[in-house]
Amino acid sequence: MSLIVMKFGGTSVADINKINNVADIVLKELKSNKIIVVLSAMAGVTNKMQEYINNIESNERIENDLILTSGESVTIGILSSILKKRNIKSLPLLGWQVPIVTDDNHQKAKILNIDKKRINTFLEFNDVLVIAGFQGVDLSGNITSLGRGGSDTTAVAIASAVNADRCDIYTDVDGVYSADPNIVSKAKKIPQMAYEEMLEMASTGAKVLHTRSVELAMKNNLVLQVLSSITKKSGTLILDEKNLIEKEIVSGVSYSMAESKVTISGIPDKPGISAQIFGLLADQNINVDMIVQNISQDGINANITFTVPNNELNLAKETLKNNLNKINYKSLQTDENVSKISVIGMGMMSQSGVAQKMFKTLADNSINILAISTSEIKISVLIDERYTNIAVKSLHEAYNLINKK
Ligand code: ADP
Ligand code: ASP
Ligand code: MG
């Protein structure tokens, strides 16, 4: 008998009908397998919880995670009841009951340990475990959350811990596409992709998978399948590069509007200054992404531009302002209306001209580039947020990714 982990996202559990549909899918797989189901909250519920937190301006990390993770209790309760009505031995479990132990970095906690033995014992007495995604418990017993979209990571971490035969991520699209299908209607489905490509796509904004879930799958060599809970079409397999049949030069274009640009001008141009700035930000757990430094005309002062997640911008500003006398900069400017556009592909490693095509395409559309960053298989540029759609669409076309069917 095989063991399968099946994760269903918010749209797949958005109402009772949809949860009944999830029960149907689980039942089909149950014929020859034991199943662990991981669920998100109903679509929109976690956003609503975040709104409550914003309304009361709560900075209480522990309470905020209690509020944020509440939606998953509802969905696992409903699915498990439905399964029991259908005479299935089902056990609903919150993160702390598994337990999924995390660090105490609330709102972006990392999973430290999952009790494999206990899961196996639960499986001995039940056919299906229905586990709440997105949540864990820290070593002091407080509830933590793994960051928005974190249920994917719960599923992959559990699948890795119990050595599952498969980990299927059911969502509202039937696979990973060459661009967000909600923006580019002619995007094409990617049948297979390497972990590295998916990792770059996820970390540059393709929210179809939580970035850490891909990291974990890669580390544990766990094949992921992304598929729809509505259509029965084949999905996307994410696997080791060695098993890829074809390597595209560019396989996808992604975008993220969740970052802000910070520019610090008039910093003394001397050794150690970058280490100091980014050290201060790292101490506050702020994720810095693109970095550009230029020396000013006088050769004495420098300017540094970098990006941080929108929800960490205030903390970044505060940190820099509080340390003005240490860094000695002249001015600090921020801009939330920027967007990061990325092109990704394994074949880029052995092909020249990919970056040039990106810059030319943007130039042809009169889009100005504010910052650039690259890896072996990715090129990202920062642009004015207003041009996001046109940039994604024109790059998708320029790299010939359009679905011709
Ligand atoms: P779930 O609630 O099931 O976790 P998400 O909303 O987190 O679903 O992720 C699915 C969404 O990801 C899709 O509806 C789609 O708009 C978005 N998305 C962004 N980029 C891509 C891409 N390259 N391929 C597929 N979906 C993408
Ligand atoms: N419900 C959580 C969120 O909306 C976790 C998830 O959906 O993966 O972020
Ligand atoms: Mg998601």
Side-chain angles (χ1 to χ4, degrees), residues 124-140:
E124 262 177 51
F125 300 100
N126 298 280
D127 296 324
V128 184
L129 306 183
V130 186
I131 300 180
F134 177 56
Q135 56 176 257
V137 60
D138 70 12
L139 294 166
S140 316

Side-chain angles (χ1 to χ4, degrees), residues 241-309:
E241 185 202 341
K242 287 199 297 281
N243 303 323
L244 275 188
I245 296 165
E246 223 176 316
K247 281 182 204 161
E248 300 289 344
I249 295 165
V250 169
S251 49
V253 182
S254 56
Y255 69 95
S256 167
M257 293 195 256
E259 283 176 56
S260 300
K261 180 170 75 113
V262 179
T263 302
I264 317 176
S265 313
I267 330 162
D269 186 24
K270 59 176 192 198
I273 200 81
S274 297
Q276 191 167 33
I277 294 172
F278 296 112
L280 288 164
L281 297 169
D283 288 345
Q284 297 297 324
N285 245 316
I286 296 168
N287 282 319
V288 174
D289 183 25
M290 304 172 108
I291 304 176
V292 184
Q293 176 173 0
N294 34 45
I295 316 284
S296 66
Q297 309 262 317
D298 59 13
I300 302 165
N301 290 313
N303 301 338
I304 287 189
T305 296
F306 55 89
T307 58
V308 297

Side-chain angles (χ1 to χ4, degrees), residues 7 149 152 207:
K7 179 258 169 177
D152 300 326
K207 70 170 185 158

